[in-house]
Short mmCIF file of all heavy atoms in Angstrom, two decimals:
data_model
loop_
_atom_site.label_atom_id
_atom_site.label_comp_id
_atom_site.label_asym_id
_atom_site.label_seq_id
_atom_site.Cartn_x
_atom_site.Cartn_y
_atom_site.Cartn_z
N ASN A 3 1.83 5.41 0.05
CA ASN A 3 1.56 6.48 1.00
C ASN A 3 0.24 7.18 0.71
O ASN A 3 -0.59 7.40 1.59
CB ASN A 3 2.74 7.45 0.94
CG ASN A 3 2.65 8.49 2.03
OD1 ASN A 3 1.89 8.30 2.97
ND2 ASN A 3 3.40 9.55 1.89
N GLU A 13 -11.70 5.71 6.97
CA GLU A 13 -11.55 4.98 8.23
C GLU A 13 -12.19 5.74 9.37
O GLU A 13 -12.79 5.16 10.27
CB GLU A 13 -10.06 4.77 8.54
CG GLU A 13 -9.38 3.75 7.68
CD GLU A 13 -9.82 2.35 8.03
OE1 GLU A 13 -10.20 2.12 9.19
OE2 GLU A 13 -9.81 1.51 7.12
N LEU A 194 10.99 2.40 29.23
CA LEU A 194 11.64 1.89 28.02
C LEU A 194 10.63 1.74 26.88
O LEU A 194 10.84 2.22 25.77
CB LEU A 194 12.32 0.55 28.32
CG LEU A 194 12.79 -0.23 27.11
CD1 LEU A 194 13.95 0.49 26.47
CD2 LEU A 194 13.19 -1.63 27.50
N GLN A 206 8.49 8.88 12.51
CA GLN A 206 7.75 8.25 11.42
C GLN A 206 6.40 8.88 11.12
O GLN A 206 5.93 8.80 9.99
CB GLN A 206 7.52 6.76 11.77
CG GLN A 206 8.78 5.93 11.77
CD GLN A 206 9.29 5.67 10.38
OE1 GLN A 206 10.16 6.36 9.88
NE2 GLN A 206 8.70 4.70 9.71
N ARG A 208 5.15 12.08 11.50
CA ARG A 208 4.94 13.51 11.28
C ARG A 208 4.06 13.72 10.05
O ARG A 208 4.19 13.02 9.06
CB ARG A 208 6.28 14.22 11.08
CG ARG A 208 7.02 14.53 12.36
CD ARG A 208 8.44 14.95 12.08
NE ARG A 208 9.21 13.83 11.56
CZ ARG A 208 9.93 13.90 10.45
NH1 ARG A 208 9.97 15.00 9.75
NH2 ARG A 208 10.60 12.84 10.03
N LEU A 233 18.32 5.48 26.87
CA LEU A 233 19.72 5.09 27.03
C LEU A 233 20.22 5.18 28.46
O LEU A 233 21.20 4.52 28.82
CB LEU A 233 20.61 5.93 26.12
CG LEU A 233 20.28 5.80 24.63
CD1 LEU A 233 21.15 6.72 23.81
CD2 LEU A 233 20.45 4.38 24.17
N GLY A 252 22.57 -13.12 48.08
CA GLY A 252 23.75 -13.06 48.93
C GLY A 252 25.04 -12.75 48.22
O GLY A 252 26.12 -13.01 48.72
N ALA A 278 33.36 -12.82 50.06
CA ALA A 278 33.69 -14.23 50.20
C ALA A 278 35.01 -14.55 49.52
O ALA A 278 35.56 -13.77 48.78
CB ALA A 278 32.57 -15.08 49.62
N GLY A 280 38.02 -15.86 47.25
CA GLY A 280 38.22 -16.03 45.82
C GLY A 280 38.03 -14.77 45.02
O GLY A 280 38.38 -14.74 43.85
N SER A 281 37.48 -13.72 45.56
CA SER A 281 37.32 -12.51 44.77
C SER A 281 37.49 -11.32 45.69
O SER A 281 37.47 -11.45 46.90
CB SER A 281 35.94 -12.46 44.15
OG SER A 281 34.99 -12.19 45.14
N GLY A 282 37.64 -10.17 45.08
CA GLY A 282 37.67 -8.95 45.87
C GLY A 282 36.27 -8.70 46.40
O GLY A 282 35.29 -9.27 45.93
N TYR B 5 2.71 3.51 7.95
CA TYR B 5 4.07 2.97 7.92
C TYR B 5 4.29 1.80 8.87
O TYR B 5 5.38 1.58 9.35
CB TYR B 5 5.12 4.07 8.20
CG TYR B 5 4.86 5.31 7.40
CD1 TYR B 5 4.59 6.52 8.02
CD2 TYR B 5 4.87 5.25 6.01
CE1 TYR B 5 4.32 7.65 7.26
CE2 TYR B 5 4.59 6.38 5.25
CZ TYR B 5 4.31 7.57 5.89
OH TYR B 5 4.04 8.68 5.14
N ARG B 10 8.35 4.57 5.13
CA ARG B 10 8.16 6.00 4.95
C ARG B 10 9.23 6.53 4.00
O ARG B 10 10.43 6.32 4.25
CB ARG B 10 8.25 6.72 6.30
CG ARG B 10 8.01 8.22 6.18
CD ARG B 10 7.98 8.90 7.55
NE ARG B 10 8.17 10.34 7.38
CZ ARG B 10 7.32 11.27 7.83
NH1 ARG B 10 6.25 10.92 8.47
NH2 ARG B 10 7.57 12.55 7.63
N THR B 13 12.27 8.79 5.52
CA THR B 13 13.16 8.19 6.52
C THR B 13 13.69 6.84 6.05
O THR B 13 14.68 6.34 6.59
CB THR B 13 12.44 7.97 7.87
OG1 THR B 13 11.32 7.12 7.64
CG2 THR B 13 11.97 9.28 8.46
N LEU B 15 12.30 3.97 6.49
CA LEU B 15 12.11 2.97 7.54
C LEU B 15 10.64 2.65 7.71
O LEU B 15 9.78 3.50 7.46
CB LEU B 15 12.62 3.50 8.88
CG LEU B 15 14.12 3.68 9.08
CD1 LEU B 15 14.37 4.57 10.27
CD2 LEU B 15 14.77 2.33 9.29
N ASN B 17 7.95 1.50 10.82
CA ASN B 17 7.95 1.77 12.26
C ASN B 17 8.66 0.70 13.07
O ASN B 17 9.47 0.99 13.95
CB ASN B 17 6.51 1.88 12.77
CG ASN B 17 5.80 3.06 12.17
OD1 ASN B 17 6.43 3.95 11.61
ND2 ASN B 17 4.48 3.07 12.26
N SER B 28 18.93 0.26 23.71
CA SER B 28 18.80 0.27 25.17
C SER B 28 19.37 -1.03 25.76
O SER B 28 19.92 -1.02 26.86
CB SER B 28 17.34 0.46 25.56
OG SER B 28 16.69 -0.77 25.64
N HIS B 49 42.35 -10.94 44.01
CA HIS B 49 42.54 -12.20 43.29
C HIS B 49 41.29 -12.49 42.47
O HIS B 49 40.18 -12.32 42.96
CB HIS B 49 42.78 -13.33 44.29
CG HIS B 49 42.71 -14.68 43.67
ND1 HIS B 49 43.69 -15.16 42.83
CD2 HIS B 49 41.76 -15.64 43.74
CE1 HIS B 49 43.34 -16.37 42.42
NE2 HIS B 49 42.18 -16.68 42.95
N PRO B 51 39.51 -15.48 40.11
CA PRO B 51 39.68 -16.87 39.69
C PRO B 51 39.68 -17.01 38.17
O PRO B 51 38.98 -16.28 37.47
CB PRO B 51 38.47 -17.58 40.30
CG PRO B 51 37.49 -16.52 40.60
CD PRO B 51 38.23 -15.25 40.77
N SER B 122 26.62 -16.52 45.92
CA SER B 122 27.28 -15.89 47.06
C SER B 122 28.70 -16.41 47.26
O SER B 122 29.42 -15.92 48.11
CB SER B 122 26.46 -16.16 48.32
OG SER B 122 26.19 -17.54 48.44
N HIS B 123 29.10 -17.41 46.45
CA HIS B 123 30.42 -18.03 46.62
C HIS B 123 31.54 -17.03 46.43
O HIS B 123 32.47 -16.94 47.24
CB HIS B 123 30.54 -19.19 45.63
CG HIS B 123 31.87 -19.85 45.63
ND1 HIS B 123 32.30 -20.66 46.65
CD2 HIS B 123 32.89 -19.81 44.73
CE1 HIS B 123 33.52 -21.10 46.39
NE2 HIS B 123 33.90 -20.60 45.24
N THR B 125 32.59 -13.11 44.03
CA THR B 125 32.09 -12.09 43.11
C THR B 125 32.17 -12.57 41.67
O THR B 125 31.33 -12.24 40.85
CB THR B 125 32.87 -10.78 43.30
OG1 THR B 125 32.72 -10.37 44.65
CG2 THR B 125 32.34 -9.69 42.40
#
Side-chain angles (χ1 to χ4, degrees):
Chain A
N3 188 15
E13 287 288 332
L194 168 68
Q206 292 287 97
R208 280 168 292 128
L233 300 177
S281 73
Chain B
Y5 314 118
R10 182 175 162 124
T13 59
L15 290 164
N17 295 345
S28 88
H49 168 72
S122 52
H123 176 72
T125 301

